[in-house]
Amino acid sequence: MPDPSAEQLQALLDLAGTDAAIRRLQNTMDNLPEQQQLADLGERRRALEDQHADIRLERDQVTQVARKHDRDVGQLRERLAHEQQRMYGGDITNAKELGKMEAEISAVQSRIDEHELAELEALETLEEHEEALDALEQELATLSETIRETEERRDVAASGLLAEIAEHEVVRERQRDDLDDELVARYDRSAQRSVGDAVGRLDGEDCTACGIRLSYADVNTLVDGPPLTTCPNCGRLLVVL
Ligand SMILES: [Zn+2]
């Protein structure tokens, strides 16, 4: 392939300039204060949602515990009623037998008391969880509103930048169309490999892409070589005009 013309090389540098301008605008957009705020707000929302999920899980567990105690109390009450009916029914007259039943009734009663107390404690915990969930839901709703408002402000701030980017993209398409396909392909390969400029220019002894001052030996080799080569330091395309 013959060496690209000086015109083509300039066009290549112009394309790199347009891409750099687009990157700068994109970077400005990514760093909009509203964008930063949205990142923070999103993080806060995730933390609240995690907290909400944890408390909901605990609430469900406590609900199960309260129900279990409630069922136990019900069963024990039935048993108590049955025992009391037997005791006061008049069928049992034996004093020893009656004493045993009395002890049994009293034992059932204290188990009922224990379960009732435990159920009450569970219900109190449940109420605390419900209150915490309500507060979190309230906070999440407020946060969602703040996020929505911030997104609106971000969109307003970004719209000017997006318009500028769109203009540069039109220019970029034209610049790419004006370049030989082979050059565009080399440019794209270099762009994929590198951060920042895909093509630099030899400016005195410096590569403008990496900003490094090259050795005299390298510079001499470059000057004697083809007008489009790669930088011995950064490996990016290098225009030597
Ligand atoms: Zn370089």
Side-chain angles (χ1 to χ4, degrees):
M1 172 188 171
D3 285 339
S5 66
E7 210 177 30
Q8 284 279 296
L9 292 174
Q10 188 52 56
L12 193 64
L13 290 167
D14 291 345
L15 173 61
T18 305
D19 274 335
I22 291 173
R23 274 198 308 278
R24 277 194 298 275
L25 288 164
Q26 195 72 54
N27 190 45
T28 306
M29 211 157 73
D30 291 345
N31 289 301
L32 283 174
E34 291 86 357
Q35 198 60 46
Q36 301 288 314
Q37 284 164 17
L38 281 170
D40 294 344
L41 290 168
E43 208 168 302
R44 174 84 185 126
R45 175 154 67 182
R46 274 190 298 281
L48 288 177
E49 280 168 350
D50 284 352
Q51 215 180 329
H52 189 271
D54 288 348
I55 297 177
R56 210 171 43 202
L57 192 71
E58 280 176 41
R59 179 202 57 189
D60 292 347
Q61 286 166 349
V62 174
T63 303
Q64 294 299 321
V65 170
R67 280 191 193 142
K68 169 91 172 64
H69 287 305
D70 195 56
R71 275 199 305 275
D72 290 345
V73 167
Q75 283 165 5
L76 288 165
R77 281 198 186 288
E78 272 176 35
R79 196 170 140 195
L80 187 71
H82 178 72
E83 300 281 341
Q84 283 170 334
Q85 208 174 11
R86 274 184 68 204
M87 180 153 175
Y88 304 118
D91 292 343
I92 300 160
T93 49
N94 181 311
K96 197 176 159 193
E97 192 77 4
L98 282 170
K100 234 174 88 182
M101 287 204 69
E102 213 166 4
E104 170 101 24
I105 285 170
S106 146
V108 173
Q109 185 60 59
S110 50
R111 284 185 63 201
I112 289 174
D113 292 347
E114 279 167 27
H115 281 291
E116 277 181 340
L117 187 67
E119 186 185 354
L120 200 67
E121 279 169 1
L123 289 173
E124 276 168 10
T125 308
L126 198 61
E127 205 179 309
E128 283 166 18
H129 286 337
E130 294 289 3
E131 278 169 14
L133 286 174
D134 281 350
L136 278 172
E137 279 157 24
Q138 191 68 45
E139 200 175 343
L140 275 165
T142 309
L143 193 61
S144 288
E145 183 58 22
T146 309
I147 288 174
R148 206 185 52 73
E149 286 166 4
T150 310
E151 276 171 348
E152 274 178 17
R153 282 193 288 114
R154 189 265 325 267
D155 291 347
V156 169
S159 64
L161 291 166
L162 282 170
E164 264 189 86
I165 289 174
E167 280 172 31
H168 279 91
E169 277 171 347
V170 170
V171 172
R172 174 170 64 185
E173 283 318 302
R174 206 178 54 229
Q175 288 172 331
R176 288 174 71 91
D177 285 346
D178 289 347
L179 276 170
D180 290 341
D181 290 348
E182 167 71 17
L183 276 182
V184 172
R186 284 182 73 180
Y187 177 82
D188 286 345
R189 277 197 301 275
S190 181
Q192 271 171 12
R193 278 197 310 264
S194 34
V195 177
D197 291 334
V199 49
R201 192 166 45 79
L202 184 67
D203 181 18
E205 295 150 33
D206 301 344
C207 160
T208 59
C210 63
I212 292 293
R213 175 146 300 179
L214 303 170
S215 69
Y216 284 118
D218 276 343
V219 172
N220 285 334
T221 310
L222 290 170
V223 169
D224 291 341
L228 183 62
T229 178
T230 52
C231 168
N233 178 62
C234 66
R236 292 179 177 94
L237 283 177
L238 187 65
V239 171
V240 184
L241 281 173

